[in-house]
């Protein structure tokens, strides 16, 4: 890059350029934040015979049940996950897709 005088500038590497943030890292952060806030929650793990498309975590918060799908910022939902989300929306069940603790915080405020 060049500054206004046309002189070269060094590009700064960001942590996100160096460290790849995985879905499991985000899941661990969200689990820890929920535990610190004493919010009852539990994971739904895929296993043989499990219902396809179920979200990653269920939260009980302020007399509501919230389904939470956790993705990296570039992550995509599968067709089964999209169908599950659509069914939740039709049934009036809170369902959020989050990529960070900050996004989780916004969901809890709704």
């Amino acid at each position: 890059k060049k500054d206004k005088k046309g002189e070269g500038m060094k590009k700064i590497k960001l942590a996100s350029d160096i460290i790849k943030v995985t879905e499991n890292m985000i899941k661990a952060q969200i689990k820890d934040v929920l535990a610190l806030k004493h919010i009852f929650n539990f994971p739904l793990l895929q296993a043989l015979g499990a219902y396809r498309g179920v979200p990653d975590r269920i939260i009980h918060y302020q007399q509501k049940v919230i389904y939470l799908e956790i993705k990296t910022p570039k992550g995509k939902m599968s067709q089964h996950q999209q169908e599950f989300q659509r069914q939740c929306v039709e049934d009036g069940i809170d369902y959020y897709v989050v990529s960070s603790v900050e996004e989780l915080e916004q969901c809890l405020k709704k």
Side-chain angles (χ1 to χ4, degrees):
K1 291 186 173 182
K2 294 186 177 187
D3 63 12
K4 291 180 182 178
K5 295 179 183 177
E7 297 174 12
M9 293 176 54
K10 290 184 180 181
K11 184 176 179 182
I12 299 172
K13 285 203 176 233
L14 302 173
S16 60
D17 294 333
I18 299 167
I19 301 169
K20 182 180 180 199
V21 177
T22 67
E23 193 171 294
N24 283 338
M25 290 172 159
I26 300 168
K27 285 178 182 180
Q29 291 174 341
I30 287 174
K31 176 185 169 220
D32 291 345
V33 166
L34 291 170
L36 286 170
K37 292 179 172 283
H38 304 288
I39 296 174
F40 180 78
N41 71 97
F42 56 93
L44 288 174
L45 305 173
Q46 283 292 345
L48 185 62
Y51 188 84
R52 295 176 80 179
V54 295
D56 295 311
R57 192 160 286 277
I58 294 180
I59 301 170
H60 291 189
Y61 183 66
Q62 294 184 343
Q63 301 178 346
K64 295 188 290 187
V65 174
I66 301 170
Y67 287 138
L68 198 65
E69 181 61 37
I70 303 165
K71 295 286 183 196
T72 63
K74 294 182 180 180
K76 304 277 188 223
M77 289 176 55
S78 72
Q79 180 181 351
H80 294 288
Q81 289 170 327
Q82 291 172 11
E83 290 170 6
F84 192 95
Q85 179 185 30
R86 188 172 32 257
Q87 187 64 53
C88 288
V89 171
E90 286 177 15
D91 292 340
I93 298 168
D94 290 338
Y95 184 109
Y96 300 107
V97 181
V98 298
S99 299
S100 67
V101 169
E102 293 78 16
E103 289 180 6
L104 169 68
E105 296 283 356
Q106 291 302 312
C107 295
L108 294 177
K109 289 178 182 177
K110 294 180 182 181

